[in-house]
Amino acid sequence: MKTESKTQTVRLPILHGYTKEFYDWCRQQELRFQRCQKCGAWRHPPRPMCHSCHSLQWEWAPTKGKGKVYCWTTVHQALDPAFAEAVPYAAVVVELDEGPRLATWVTGILPDDLQIGMPVELWFDDVSDEVTLPKFKRVG
Ligand SMILES: [Zn+2]
């Protein structure tokens, strides 16, 4: 699941706690989210308690990396100077087939060509020695 990144990543996540665990799975080429072991609810971003049943029992459950564009916003003016060369870009929320949603990039497509419900699939972008970002590309 490799494809060339069309967007330079200029800010990387700070790796600690549950965030580090999430990105450690990405480093291993697996997109996993927390899933409640009591009621089965998925959740993201990572946190200790289930929003549905308040259980503290959970697992890192794998996804198949297939989903669809849920929504996006096109950024034309970088509020953070680190993103100045990336504009215009789309900050996209992808809904995985299993249910969790992830704020991410959809590469290889212009923001104006995105569509709600567009099928997308996962690829992993090794942006540094420590960080691998889950990104998506259009299917087909
Ligand atoms: Zn639950």
Side-chain angles (χ1 to χ4, degrees):
M1 284 194 276
K2 283 283 189 182
T3 186
E4 184 176 334
S5 177
K6 301 292 184 192
T7 307
Q8 182 180 6
T9 301
V10 292
R11 292 276 187 217
L12 298 179
I14 298 169
L15 302 178
H16 65 87
Y18 294 140
T19 300
K20 182 179 185 322
E21 292 179 29
F22 175 81
Y23 285 104
D24 283 349
W25 283 113
C26 291
R27 192 78 189 147
Q28 297 176 53
Q29 310 287 297
E30 289 194 47
L31 183 59
R32 292 184 178 232
F33 295 92
Q34 287 179 302
R35 185 172 57 195
C36 178
Q37 291 181 306
K38 193 169 181 182
C39 77
W42 295 81
R43 63 182 184 259
H44 188 74
R47 53 194 177 273
M49 184 180 288
C50 177
H51 64 278
S52 181
C53 74
H54 303 149
S55 172
L56 296 172
Q57 299 173 2
W58 57 272
E59 63 181 339
W60 286 110
T63 64
K64 293 181 178 170
K66 304 280 187 190
K68 61 187 177 193
V69 172
Y70 181 77
C71 65
W72 75 92
T73 187
T74 302
V75 179
H76 293 277
Q77 181 174 354
L79 299 178
D80 182 333
F83 287 84
E85 293 187 21
V87 293
Y89 67 91
V92 181
V93 175
V94 166
E95 184 175 75
L96 278 296
D97 288 350
E98 293 84 355
R101 296 177 187 151
L102 176 68
T104 183
W105 301 89
V106 176
T107 60
I109 187 168
L110 296 171
D112 286 350
D113 294 333
L114 287 167
Q115 295 180 346
I116 299 292
M118 175 182 288
V120 291
E121 64 184 6
L122 174 69
W123 68 280
F124 288 103
D125 191 356
D126 296 324
V127 294
S128 75
D129 290 341
E130 296 82 29
V131 177
T132 297
L133 296 177
K135 297 184 178 181
F136 289 80
K137 62 182 179 180
R138 182 170 34 181
V139 174

